[in-house]
Every structure is written in C-alpha cells, then in structure tokens.
Amino acid sequence: MFGYEFYIDPERCIGCQSCVNACAECDTHRGTPMITVDYLDRRNSIATVPAICMHCDDPTCAEVCPADAIKKGEDGVVQSALKPRCVACSNCVLACPFGIPKMMTKLELMMKCDMCYDRTSVGKRPMCATVCPSQALAYVTPERIARERREKPTNVFQFGNETVTTKVYMMVPPGTQAVAVDVIDFMWEGAQA
Amino acid sequence: MNTEPLWREEVSIHAADERYVNRRQFAKFLVLTSFGMFVGNLWILVKSWLAKKTFYPVQPVARIGEIPVGGVRLFNYPGPNDPCLLVRTAETEVVAYSQKCTHLSCAVYYSRENGRIECPCHEGYFSVETGRVLQGPPQRPLPKVVLRRQGDQLLAVAMDLQAGEGVRNA
C-alpha cells in the first residue's frame, strides 16, 4: 500500500531476540511475542531464523478454519483469528506450512503475526523490522532491497508438489527460483539416519 | 466453468467478501422479512377475530338522591380494581368516567369551580360532559361509564371508550 515489502534474510539473523522483545511490547498483544527465533540445527550450528507469518496468497490457515475466524484483507495481510469466532480448534496450527499460528490455550484463541497491522496499515514499519540490528527482517521498498543486497527475494515456496506463494519475501541466493522444502529432510527420524 | 464450491460464496477467506451483500442475499432478506411481516399481521388479525367481546356487568352505583348537585361518588367498575368517578353536574344530569387519567393513570378529580375533570399530575383537563381532552398531555378521552336510571337507582351498564372521540367543540 505504501510501497514497502517485507523481506526475511535468515543468513543475516544473529539470534539476538530483539524482534521477539519488540513484538512483545506491542499494545495489541502485550507480553506475548508473535514472532519466534528458531535454531535450525542447534547441536551443530548457531544458525537462527526469525519466523513471522508469510501471509500466503491462498492462506491454508484460513482455508481450514471451521469457524471462519481468519480473514485476509485486500492488502494481502492475513489477520489473526477473530476473537468472537475462534473456537480454539488448532486446525490452523496444524495446517500452516510455516508453523506460524500459536494456540493461546488460556485465551482459547489462536494468535499470530499480522504484520503489525496497526502500524503497517498507516505506513509505519513493523516492530520487528524496526529493531532488527542486522536487517534480517527488513521492511523496505523493492528498489532498495535490489540495490543493497546481493541475494534475490522470492516468495515462492515448494512443499513437495504444493506451491505456496506469499506476500512476505525470503532472500535466497541469486538464481534460486523457489524455496523447495522436502519435509522428510526435516523430520527427526531422518536426522538420526 | 466455475469449479468453486457453492459455500465459497458464503464463507470466504477474504474480509471484503464478508461485507459484500449480493443481489440474491438481499432478495432473500427482503422476501423473508416481508413473509415474517405477513405472518405477524395474519396472527394479529386471527387473534382479533377470535377475541371475545368484553362483557360488562350491570352494577348499581348510587341512588340519585344521595348525591347533591355538583357532588361526586367514587365507585369501581367494571372490575373491583377499576376506580371510577360519578359526577352529578345538574339536577337531572349524571355522568361517570374512569378515574384513571389516559396519560399516566393518575387519579383525576372533578373541579366544580372550573366545571371540568382535572388531573393533578400534569394538568390534563377533560370535559365533564363528554370526557374529551381539553388540554394537557393525555391523547385519548376518559373512558365513559354508560349509566342507566332505574327509578331512583343508577346502574352502570358498560364502558364507552370512544365517548369523547370525535367531539371537538362540545
């Protein structure tokens, strides 16, 4: 709407948890961060990756919601569950290919990143992107990302035969068309073999 | 060919679709509400057809000799909780009204000096001849008690709710 796009570059993430703390400061969900910093392979690596909602073009979470509680706005932002509708069934938690929705059992409500809708809808940057010291989370114009980064943004993810396109971009090495994920590779049993 | 299932239209993941009312939904709403109105009116009509006519008892109120000219007598008619006011306005003239003001049911009284029935709560005045509203907040005339004379005895025989209706310059 304001010409900004969200870019995630896991390569830049230093695992400082600034985004997590900044997110938790937001008034709309005070004390509860909607972003997580995940260790990819903690035994062998210090590599971390921030996990925010990718805002899929065809959001699986909303598709599977039996209560019609998750809505996607015209700006492409997939909103957090509507409190009066959410029945806390966790369908969205299980369905999301990126593992983003969190079930708040005490509130009986699913909560997830809505790209700081109160901020981005008026042209401000999301909390996490404002504090990220290495700009692994960047909320900038496409021109600026093309000028300043060697990596190229992509918003196509390949989960087996399922192709997911998203509003949020992931920075990938030049020449990569899509982020292909073979789920079997990431299963715990696979790591043992 | 549209392969989207029919329920997609009703349950959309897009916020904008939820606020959008299409022609079919609007027509459905109109038809259903007018059908509801029709059924409601029908019910009222049937109820009024089946309603029994109110039965008024014949009840002795007073002997005419007991009340001086300009005097009043309180009685209950048609039920024991319906206070009424009987006024002897002249030698041969006797009228009776419900004592409940038609505005907020305050007890009205007969004002001999002004020759009218007055309600003290909001200064609603009624004509003593017909019960029509002379001034004040009441919108309806006082219900009149139809009296019948049987020798010296006055009998209340019915209530006339529209006695003062249509009488403008009485």
Side-chain angles (χ1 to χ4, degrees):
Chain A
M1 192 187 289
F2 296 92
Y4 297 114
E5 294 293 346
F6 210 134
Y7 300 93
I8 307 173
D9 190 351
E11 208 180 340
R12 285 179 168 240
C13 182
I14 55 174
C16 68
Q17 307 270 346
S18 294
C19 50
V20 175
N21 290 298
C23 187
E25 274 184 29
C26 186
D27 271 335
T28 57
H29 49 87
R30 186 165 280 256
T32 313
M34 296 288 114
I35 183 172
T36 51
V37 174
D38 297 331
Y39 289 90
L40 293 177
D41 180 9
R42 197 159 192 186
R43 186 191 287 180
N44 303 314
S45 165
I46 56 162
T48 51
V49 58
I52 61 161
C53 179
M54 302 300 286
H55 300 283
C56 305
D57 290 343
D58 185 20
T60 317
C61 55
E63 294 279 9
V64 299
C65 182
D68 206 17
I70 305 170
K71 290 288 173 187
K72 183 179 153 134
E74 277 168 56
D75 44 10
V77 173
V78 182
Q79 298 291 350
S80 196
L82 297 166
K83 178 90 176 84
R85 292 188 181 179
C86 182
V87 293
C89 67
S90 293
N91 266 11
C92 50
V93 178
L94 299 170
C96 177
F98 300 99
I100 298 302
K102 295 275 178 293
M103 178 51 58
M104 301 296 163
T105 316
K106 276 188 182 164
L107 300 176
E108 294 192 338
L109 176 68
M110 182 282 276
M111 288 168 79
K112 72 166 191 65
C113 157
D114 58 359
M115 214 192 256
C116 289
Y117 198 69
D118 52 335
R119 294 174 59 83
T120 51
S121 60
V122 293
K124 290 182 179 176
R125 296 195 292 158
M127 290 293 253
C128 53
T130 59
V131 297
C132 185
S134 57
Q135 282 297 286
L137 295 159
Y139 190 70
V140 291
T141 56
E143 298 80 46
R144 186 166 165 193
I145 213 81
R147 192 172 66 238
E148 294 182 353
R149 304 279 176 95
R150 191 177 54 213
E151 300 85 2
K152 297 288 172 230
T154 184
N155 65 344
V156 181
F157 298 84
Q158 198 78 46
F159 295 93
N161 292 326
E162 184 78 18
T163 306
V164 177
T165 52
T166 62
K167 178 178 169 64
V168 176
Y169 290 87
M170 187 75 82
M171 301 305 289
V172 292
T176 310
Q177 293 305 315
V179 180
V181 181
D182 193 344
V183 181
I184 302 296
D185 288 350
F186 290 91
M187 290 179 78
W188 181 77
E189 289 85 354
Q192 292 295 301
Chain B
M1 189 191 150
N2 190 11
T3 52
E4 289 279 282
L6 198 61
W7 55 265
R8 267 276 175 234
E9 197 181 304
E10 303 276 337
V11 192
S12 171
I13 58 168
H14 298 284
D17 292 351
E18 197 168 37
R19 292 187 294 270
Y20 179 73
V21 179
N22 62 26
R23 184 195 294 244
R24 178 170 296 183
Q25 286 169 325
F26 184 65
K28 215 185 273 180
F29 170 79
L30 278 188
V31 168
L32 286 176
T33 42
S34 39
F35 179 71
M37 294 279 230
F38 175 72
V39 169
N41 277 299
L42 207 65
W43 185 66
I44 291 170
L45 191 67
V46 167
K47 217 179 126 185
S48 68
W49 278 342
L50 296 179
K52 285 181 189 162
K53 286 204 88 165
T54 323
F55 171 74
Y56 291 110
V58 176
Q59 182 188 320
V61 177
R63 294 190 176 278
I64 188 101
E66 292 172 348
I67 309 161
V69 174
V72 297
R73 163 69 64 93
L74 296 178
F75 63 102
N76 291 313
Y77 187 81
N81 298 318
D82 305 309
C84 292
L85 180 74
L86 182 124
V87 187
R88 187 173 182 186
T89 50
E91 193 63 45
T92 55
E93 206 55 44
V94 179
V95 286
Y97 298 100
S98 167
Q99 213 193 354
K100 279 186 195 167
C101 177
T102 53
H103 175 223
L104 288 174
S105 299
C106 287
V108 295
Y109 63 87
Y110 174 56
S111 168
R112 196 175 305 149
E113 308 82 62
N114 300 318
R116 64 194 175 196
I117 292 172
E118 298 184 353
C119 176
C121 291
H122 306 101
E123 306 207 331
Y125 300 159
F126 301 90
S127 156
V128 77
E129 284 86 20
T130 59
R132 80 182 178 93
V133 181
L134 297 176
Q135 77 149 50
Q139 296 294 309
R140 287 162 288 124
L142 278 180
K144 189 172 189 173
V145 182
V146 180
L147 297 169
R148 193 197 300 152
R149 256 181 101 161
Q150 207 169 59
D152 197 23
Q153 183 74 49
L154 285 169
L155 298 172
V157 293
M159 294 295 282
D160 185 0
L161 302 179
Q162 269 97 39
E165 212 87 79
V167 190
R168 282 287 165 260
N169 298 309

